[in-house]
Amino acid sequence: MVGLLIGRAIRFIRFRINNPPLEVTIAFLTGYIAFLPAAALGVSGVLAVVTAGVYMGWHTPELTTVETRLEGRAFWSIFNFILNALLFGLVGLQLQPILDRLSGFSAGELIGYAALVSAVVIATRV
């Protein structure tokens, strides 16, 4: 219910504004805007975010203009790039502790474990 109410409120606001950067910002913050009241009320913030997202996804075509879509696409491309860079950086920071823990294994054991993990991933993908 919280997600639906937040989604309706955001739809009401976005319907009345014609400012693409502001609309993209509101679209970006919708998940946070739905999560915070739900968490404060002690209900599931995840369900509120999903509900608001589904509701906004259903009504977004009537709310957005061509300019908003173009700016939104550019924003999400940049955001995706930054997020990927941060995640790869965090993974890189974890490499040294992982290598330190592997010092007790022989090369043959590591190759065997790598082959096993690869086989499971390939079988799962198939």
Side-chain angles (χ1 to χ4, degrees):
M1 196 59 161
V2 173
L4 185 61
L5 291 173
I6 297 297
R8 289 183 59 99
I10 290 173
R11 178 180 170 217
F12 179 81
I13 292 167
R14 285 190 58 196
F15 188 75
R16 280 150 183 78
I17 60 175
N18 187 18
N19 184 347
L22 183 59
E23 289 182 62
V24 171
T25 303
I26 292 171
F28 175 69
L29 294 175
T30 298
Y32 300 105
I33 294 169
F35 182 86
L36 293 175
L41 292 171
V43 296
S44 175
V46 173
L47 289 178
V49 170
V50 170
T51 303
V54 169
Y55 182 83
M56 289 307 299
W58 184 263
H59 292 286
T60 294
E62 70 189 30
L63 299 174
T64 57
T65 62
V66 173
E67 294 84 14
T68 303
R69 285 188 193 108
L70 289 173
E71 288 190 26
R73 183 178 298 225
F75 170 81
W76 287 112
S77 294
I78 292 169
F79 183 75
N80 189 24
F81 175 78
I82 291 170
L83 193 59
N84 277 327
L86 287 172
L87 290 175
F88 275 105
L90 290 172
V91 168
L93 290 174
Q94 295 298 314
L95 184 59
Q96 190 60 46
I98 291 170
L99 291 176
D100 291 342
R101 288 188 204 147
L102 294 177
S103 62
F105 296 96
S106 70
E109 288 176 314
L110 293 175
I111 291 171
Y113 288 136
L116 177 66
V117 169
S118 297
V120 169
V121 169
I122 291 169
T124 303
R125 298 276 309 195
V126 169

